[in-house]
Each structure stands twice: as C-alpha cells, then as structure tokens.
Amino acid sequence: MGGTPEDDSSFLGAAHRTFMDLKQPITGKDDKAIIQEVERGEDHIKAKFEDALRDNELEPSSRSAVEKAFVSVREGHDKMSALKQSIV
C-alpha cells in the first residue's frame, strides 16, 4: 500500500522497554511516574505517526488510514499531557 514498513525490532523493543519502565512505577503505585511513562509512550507513538505522514510515497488510501488513526493518537497524547500537567 506504499511506504516502507518498519521491519526491525525497534518498535517491539520500544514497546518492551516501555512496559518494563511502567512495571516498576505500577508496583510502587507512584501515579506521577506512571503518567510520565505513559506520556513517554504516547510521545513515541505520535512521532511514528508524524513520520509516516511525512512519507511522500505513501499511497492515498494508506495516508487516509494513517490520518484517521492519527486523530485518535493525538487525542490520547494530548489527554495524557494534560493529565501530567494537572499533577505537576
């Protein structure tokens, strides 16, 4: 459908690191640390979508799907950012 999909383990590695980073704060019940880690994950996901949208070789149907999904990603990112700011 156009574009070049990620074919390395960087996404899975990042997801695993995020999980491991979340594990400690969750077991420690530190709300601020949990929110910071979730926001960090949201930043990573948002950046990946922004990278995809800058890809000039992306087919129109793929671009449309990425744009539609990005709305949800951006909303989740913004909500987490606002939550973080409310407890700082």
Side-chain angles (χ1 to χ4, degrees):
M1 295 183 76
T4 305
E6 285 194 32
D7 59 359
D8 61 16
S9 64
S10 65
F11 179 76
L12 291 177
H16 177 72
R17 284 188 300 277
T18 299
F19 172 77
M20 295 308 290
D21 290 342
L22 279 171
K23 183 179 175 186
Q24 179 59 38
I26 289 172
T27 58
K29 300 193 180 4
D30 181 354
D31 290 344
K32 186 176 179 180
I34 293 168
I35 290 168
Q36 287 173 334
E37 287 303 318
V38 171
E39 184 189 33
R40 190 169 66 117
E42 292 287 335
D43 287 342
H44 179 78
I45 293 167
K46 183 179 172 222
K48 290 295 185 180
F49 271 82
E50 290 168 341
D51 288 346
L53 291 170
R54 283 191 288 272
D55 184 348
N56 294 327
E57 296 179 18
L58 201 58
E59 294 290 327
S61 60
S62 297
R63 180 172 300 282
S64 177
V66 171
E67 287 171 342
K68 185 176 179 178
F70 184 59
V71 170
S72 176
V73 167
R74 189 175 48 229
E75 287 173 357
H77 174 272
D78 293 349
K79 285 179 183 177
M80 197 50 50
S81 183
L83 182 58
K84 178 184 166 190
Q85 295 303 318
S86 74
I87 65 166
V88 173

